[in-house]
mmCIF file with all atom_site columns, all heavy atoms in Angstrom:
data_model
loop_
_atom_site.group_PDB
_atom_site.id
_atom_site.type_symbol
_atom_site.label_atom_id
_atom_site.label_alt_id
_atom_site.label_comp_id
_atom_site.label_asym_id
_atom_site.label_entity_id
_atom_site.label_seq_id
_atom_site.pdbx_PDB_ins_code
_atom_site.Cartn_x
_atom_site.Cartn_y
_atom_site.Cartn_z
_atom_site.occupancy
_atom_site.B_iso_or_equiv
_atom_site.pdbx_formal_charge
_atom_site.auth_seq_id
_atom_site.auth_comp_id
_atom_site.auth_asym_id
_atom_site.auth_atom_id
_atom_site.pdbx_PDB_model_num
ATOM 1   N N   . GLU A 1 97  ? -14.175 0.682  34.337 1.00 0.00 ? 97  GLU A N   1
ATOM 2   C CA  . GLU A 1 97  ? -13.074 0.229  33.446 1.00 0.00 ? 97  GLU A CA  1
ATOM 3   C C   . GLU A 1 97  ? -11.828 1.057  33.754 1.00 0.00 ? 97  GLU A C   1
ATOM 4   O O   . GLU A 1 97  ? -10.702 0.634  33.831 1.00 0.00 ? 97  GLU A O   1
ATOM 5   C CB  . GLU A 1 97  ? -13.425 0.189  31.991 1.00 0.00 ? 97  GLU A CB  1
ATOM 6   C CG  . GLU A 1 97  ? -14.381 -0.837 31.604 1.00 0.00 ? 97  GLU A CG  1
ATOM 7   C CD  . GLU A 1 97  ? -13.934 -2.250 31.801 1.00 0.00 ? 97  GLU A CD  1
ATOM 8   O OE1 . GLU A 1 97  ? -12.650 -2.452 32.146 1.00 0.00 ? 97  GLU A OE1 1
ATOM 9   O OE2 . GLU A 1 97  ? -14.708 -3.194 31.644 1.00 0.00 ? 97  GLU A OE2 1
ATOM 10  N N   . ALA A 1 98  ? -12.010 2.423  33.942 1.00 0.00 ? 98  ALA A N   1
ATOM 11  C CA  . ALA A 1 98  ? -10.927 3.291  34.369 1.00 0.00 ? 98  ALA A CA  1
ATOM 12  C C   . ALA A 1 98  ? -10.275 2.725  35.595 1.00 0.00 ? 98  ALA A C   1
ATOM 13  O O   . ALA A 1 98  ? -8.991  2.645  35.707 1.00 0.00 ? 98  ALA A O   1
ATOM 14  C CB  . ALA A 1 98  ? -11.438 4.735  34.603 1.00 0.00 ? 98  ALA A CB  1
ATOM 15  N N   . GLU A 1 99  ? -11.024 2.310  36.558 1.00 0.00 ? 99  GLU A N   1
ATOM 16  C CA  . GLU A 1 99  ? -10.524 1.726  37.804 1.00 0.00 ? 99  GLU A CA  1
ATOM 17  C C   . GLU A 1 99  ? -9.792  0.445  37.472 1.00 0.00 ? 99  GLU A C   1
ATOM 18  O O   . GLU A 1 99  ? -8.703  0.194  38.048 1.00 0.00 ? 99  GLU A O   1
ATOM 19  C CB  . GLU A 1 99  ? -11.680 1.495  38.763 1.00 0.00 ? 99  GLU A CB  1
ATOM 20  C CG  . GLU A 1 99  ? -11.226 1.347  40.155 1.00 0.00 ? 99  GLU A CG  1
ATOM 21  C CD  . GLU A 1 99  ? -12.392 1.311  41.183 1.00 0.00 ? 99  GLU A CD  1
ATOM 22  O OE1 . GLU A 1 99  ? -13.228 2.339  41.235 1.00 0.00 ? 99  GLU A OE1 1
ATOM 23  O OE2 . GLU A 1 99  ? -12.541 0.250  41.843 1.00 0.00 ? 99  GLU A OE2 1
ATOM 24  N N   . ASN A 1 100 ? -10.331 -0.453 36.685 1.00 0.00 ? 100 ASN A N   1
ATOM 25  C CA  . ASN A 1 100 ? -9.698  -1.686 36.295 1.00 0.00 ? 100 ASN A CA  1
ATOM 26  C C   . ASN A 1 100 ? -8.354  -1.446 35.665 1.00 0.00 ? 100 ASN A C   1
ATOM 27  O O   . ASN A 1 100 ? -7.378  -2.241 36.006 1.00 0.00 ? 100 ASN A O   1
ATOM 28  C CB  . ASN A 1 100 ? -10.583 -2.438 35.204 1.00 0.00 ? 100 ASN A CB  1
ATOM 29  C CG  . ASN A 1 100 ? -11.824 -3.065 35.863 1.00 0.00 ? 100 ASN A CG  1
ATOM 30  O OD1 . ASN A 1 100 ? -11.924 -3.294 37.129 1.00 0.00 ? 100 ASN A OD1 1
ATOM 31  N ND2 . ASN A 1 100 ? -12.746 -3.336 35.024 1.00 0.00 ? 100 ASN A ND2 1
ATOM 32  N N   . PHE A 1 101 ? -8.215  -0.429 34.880 1.00 0.00 ? 101 PHE A N   1
ATOM 33  C CA  . PHE A 1 101 ? -6.998  -0.162 34.133 1.00 0.00 ? 101 PHE A CA  1
ATOM 34  C C   . PHE A 1 101 ? -6.087  0.837  34.828 1.00 0.00 ? 101 PHE A C   1
ATOM 35  O O   . PHE A 1 101 ? -5.029  1.235  34.354 1.00 0.00 ? 101 PHE A O   1
ATOM 36  C CB  . PHE A 1 101 ? -7.295  0.310  32.786 1.00 0.00 ? 101 PHE A CB  1
ATOM 37  C CG  . PHE A 1 101 ? -7.709  -0.756 31.803 1.00 0.00 ? 101 PHE A CG  1
ATOM 38  C CD1 . PHE A 1 101 ? -9.113  -1.076 31.747 1.00 0.00 ? 101 PHE A CD1 1
ATOM 39  C CD2 . PHE A 1 101 ? -6.848  -1.507 31.097 1.00 0.00 ? 101 PHE A CD2 1
ATOM 40  C CE1 . PHE A 1 101 ? -9.513  -2.108 30.914 1.00 0.00 ? 101 PHE A CE1 1
ATOM 41  C CE2 . PHE A 1 101 ? -7.266  -2.545 30.223 1.00 0.00 ? 101 PHE A CE2 1
ATOM 42  C CZ  . PHE A 1 101 ? -8.527  -2.847 30.212 1.00 0.00 ? 101 PHE A CZ  1
ATOM 43  N N   . GLY A 1 102 ? -6.492  1.280  36.033 1.00 0.00 ? 102 GLY A N   1
ATOM 44  C CA  . GLY A 1 102 ? -5.592  2.206  36.809 1.00 0.00 ? 102 GLY A CA  1
ATOM 45  C C   . GLY A 1 102 ? -5.562  3.613  36.331 1.00 0.00 ? 102 GLY A C   1
ATOM 46  O O   . GLY A 1 102 ? -4.671  4.368  36.599 1.00 0.00 ? 102 GLY A O   1
ATOM 47  N N   . ALA A 1 103 ? -6.576  4.022  35.550 1.00 0.00 ? 103 ALA A N   1
ATOM 48  C CA  . ALA A 1 103 ? -6.650  5.373  35.022 1.00 0.00 ? 103 ALA A CA  1
ATOM 49  C C   . ALA A 1 103 ? -7.473  6.314  35.882 1.00 0.00 ? 103 ALA A C   1
ATOM 50  O O   . ALA A 1 103 ? -8.623  5.904  36.175 1.00 0.00 ? 103 ALA A O   1
ATOM 51  C CB  . ALA A 1 103 ? -7.262  5.361  33.597 1.00 0.00 ? 103 ALA A CB  1
ATOM 52  N N   . SER A 1 104 ? -6.876  7.318  36.423 1.00 0.00 ? 104 SER A N   1
ATOM 53  C CA  . SER A 1 104 ? -7.548  8.266  37.277 1.00 0.00 ? 104 SER A CA  1
ATOM 54  C C   . SER A 1 104 ? -7.687  9.641  36.729 1.00 0.00 ? 104 SER A C   1
ATOM 55  O O   . SER A 1 104 ? -8.377  10.516 37.337 1.00 0.00 ? 104 SER A O   1
ATOM 56  C CB  . SER A 1 104 ? -6.872  8.235  38.690 1.00 0.00 ? 104 SER A CB  1
ATOM 57  O OG  . SER A 1 104 ? -5.523  8.734  38.512 1.00 0.00 ? 104 SER A OG  1
ATOM 58  N N   . THR A 1 105 ? -7.029  9.933  35.604 1.00 0.00 ? 105 THR A N   1
ATOM 59  C CA  . THR A 1 105 ? -6.991  11.292 35.062 1.00 0.00 ? 105 THR A CA  1
ATOM 60  C C   . THR A 1 105 ? -7.476  11.247 33.541 1.00 0.00 ? 105 THR A C   1
ATOM 61  O O   . THR A 1 105 ? -7.085  10.315 32.816 1.00 0.00 ? 105 THR A O   1
ATOM 62  C CB  . THR A 1 105 ? -5.536  11.818 35.138 1.00 0.00 ? 105 THR A CB  1
ATOM 63  O OG1 . THR A 1 105 ? -5.132  11.684 36.502 1.00 0.00 ? 105 THR A OG1 1
ATOM 64  C CG2 . THR A 1 105 ? -5.461  13.281 34.671 1.00 0.00 ? 105 THR A CG2 1
ATOM 65  N N   . SER A 1 106 ? -8.252  12.256 33.210 1.00 0.00 ? 106 SER A N   1
ATOM 66  C CA  . SER A 1 106 ? -8.700  12.348 31.817 1.00 0.00 ? 106 SER A CA  1
ATOM 67  C C   . SER A 1 106 ? -7.503  12.477 30.906 1.00 0.00 ? 106 SER A C   1
ATOM 68  O O   . SER A 1 106 ? -6.575  13.227 31.124 1.00 0.00 ? 106 SER A O   1
ATOM 69  C CB  . SER A 1 106 ? -9.703  13.533 31.647 1.00 0.00 ? 106 SER A CB  1
ATOM 70  O OG  . SER A 1 106 ? -10.181 13.521 30.382 1.00 0.00 ? 106 SER A OG  1
ATOM 71  N N   . GLY A 1 107 ? -7.555  11.736 29.807 1.00 0.00 ? 107 GLY A N   1
ATOM 72  C CA  . GLY A 1 107 ? -6.468  11.734 28.844 1.00 0.00 ? 107 GLY A CA  1
ATOM 73  C C   . GLY A 1 107 ? -5.502  10.609 29.058 1.00 0.00 ? 107 GLY A C   1
ATOM 74  O O   . GLY A 1 107 ? -4.488  10.516 28.271 1.00 0.00 ? 107 GLY A O   1
ATOM 75  N N   . HIS A 1 108 ? -5.800  9.773  29.998 1.00 0.00 ? 108 HIS A N   1
ATOM 76  C CA  . HIS A 1 108 ? -4.867  8.587  30.170 1.00 0.00 ? 108 HIS A CA  1
ATOM 77  C C   . HIS A 1 108 ? -5.033  7.557  29.053 1.00 0.00 ? 108 HIS A C   1
ATOM 78  O O   . HIS A 1 108 ? -6.116  7.157  28.735 1.00 0.00 ? 108 HIS A O   1
ATOM 79  C CB  . HIS A 1 108 ? -5.195  7.910  31.515 1.00 0.00 ? 108 HIS A CB  1
ATOM 80  C CG  . HIS A 1 108 ? -4.077  6.954  31.948 1.00 0.00 ? 108 HIS A CG  1
ATOM 81  N ND1 . HIS A 1 108 ? -3.704  6.886  33.241 1.00 0.00 ? 108 HIS A ND1 1
ATOM 82  C CD2 . HIS A 1 108 ? -3.400  5.979  31.238 1.00 0.00 ? 108 HIS A CD2 1
ATOM 83  C CE1 . HIS A 1 108 ? -2.751  5.887  33.332 1.00 0.00 ? 108 HIS A CE1 1
ATOM 84  N NE2 . HIS A 1 108 ? -2.605  5.409  32.149 1.00 0.00 ? 108 HIS A NE2 1
ATOM 85  N N   . VAL A 1 109 ? -3.943  7.255  28.438 1.00 0.00 ? 109 VAL A N   1
ATOM 86  C CA  . VAL A 1 109 ? -3.906  6.386  27.270 1.00 0.00 ? 109 VAL A CA  1
ATOM 87  C C   . VAL A 1 109 ? -3.076  5.115  27.658 1.00 0.00 ? 109 VAL A C   1
ATOM 88  O O   . VAL A 1 109 ? -1.976  5.298  28.278 1.00 0.00 ? 109 VAL A O   1
ATOM 89  C CB  . VAL A 1 109 ? -3.250  7.071  26.092 1.00 0.00 ? 109 VAL A CB  1
ATOM 90  C CG1 . VAL A 1 109 ? -2.976  6.112  24.884 1.00 0.00 ? 109 VAL A CG1 1
ATOM 91  C CG2 . VAL A 1 109 ? -4.070  8.252  25.633 1.00 0.00 ? 109 VAL A CG2 1
ATOM 92  N N   . VAL A 1 110 ? -3.536  3.915  27.304 1.00 0.00 ? 110 VAL A N   1
ATOM 93  C CA  . VAL A 1 110 ? -2.785  2.712  27.531 1.00 0.00 ? 110 VAL A CA  1
ATOM 94  C C   . VAL A 1 110 ? -2.804  1.931  26.233 1.00 0.00 ? 110 VAL A C   1
ATOM 95  O O   . VAL A 1 110 ? -3.832  1.736  25.620 1.00 0.00 ? 110 VAL A O   1
ATOM 96  C CB  . VAL A 1 110 ? -3.387  1.857  28.729 1.00 0.00 ? 110 VAL A CB  1
ATOM 97  C CG1 . VAL A 1 110 ? -2.365  0.748  29.016 1.00 0.00 ? 110 VAL A CG1 1
ATOM 98  C CG2 . VAL A 1 110 ? -3.668  2.658  29.885 1.00 0.00 ? 110 VAL A CG2 1
ATOM 99  N N   . MET A 1 111 ? -1.637  1.546  25.744 1.00 0.00 ? 111 MET A N   1
ATOM 100 C CA  . MET A 1 111 ? -1.551  0.677  24.613 1.00 0.00 ? 111 MET A CA  1
ATOM 101 C C   . MET A 1 111 ? -1.023  -0.661 25.018 1.00 0.00 ? 111 MET A C   1
ATOM 102 O O   . MET A 1 111 ? -0.072  -0.811 25.779 1.00 0.00 ? 111 MET A O   1
ATOM 103 C CB  . MET A 1 111 ? -0.598  1.307  23.491 1.00 0.00 ? 111 MET A CB  1
ATOM 104 C CG  . MET A 1 111 ? -0.626  0.375  22.250 1.00 0.00 ? 111 MET A CG  1
ATOM 105 S SD  . MET A 1 111 ? 0.516   0.927  20.993 1.00 0.00 ? 111 MET A SD  1
ATOM 106 C CE  . MET A 1 111 ? -0.463  2.211  20.240 1.00 0.00 ? 111 MET A CE  1
ATOM 107 N N   . TYR A 1 112 ? -1.805  -1.677 24.482 1.00 0.00 ? 112 TYR A N   1
ATOM 108 C CA  . TYR A 1 112 ? -1.464  -3.081 24.770 1.00 0.00 ? 112 TYR A CA  1
ATOM 109 C C   . TYR A 1 112 ? -1.072  -3.809 23.505 1.00 0.00 ? 112 TYR A C   1
ATOM 110 O O   . TYR A 1 112 ? -1.622  -3.490 22.415 1.00 0.00 ? 112 TYR A O   1
ATOM 111 C CB  . TYR A 1 112 ? -2.671  -3.783 25.364 1.00 0.00 ? 112 TYR A CB  1
ATOM 112 C CG  . TYR A 1 112 ? -2.962  -3.399 26.793 1.00 0.00 ? 112 TYR A CG  1
ATOM 113 C CD1 . TYR A 1 112 ? -3.787  -2.330 27.094 1.00 0.00 ? 112 TYR A CD1 1
ATOM 114 C CD2 . TYR A 1 112 ? -2.483  -4.163 27.796 1.00 0.00 ? 112 TYR A CD2 1
ATOM 115 C CE1 . TYR A 1 112 ? -4.011  -1.969 28.396 1.00 0.00 ? 112 TYR A CE1 1
ATOM 116 C CE2 . TYR A 1 112 ? -2.686  -3.798 29.168 1.00 0.00 ? 112 TYR A CE2 1
ATOM 117 C CZ  . TYR A 1 112 ? -3.541  -2.688 29.400 1.00 0.00 ? 112 TYR A CZ  1
ATOM 118 O OH  . TYR A 1 112 ? -3.777  -2.316 30.713 1.00 0.00 ? 112 TYR A OH  1
#
Side-chain angles (χ1 to χ4, degrees):
E97 291 297 352
E99 199 171 299
N100 287 340
F101 285 89
S104 59
T105 306
S106 185
H108 193 138
V109 173
V110 191
M111 184 184 277
Y112 286 87

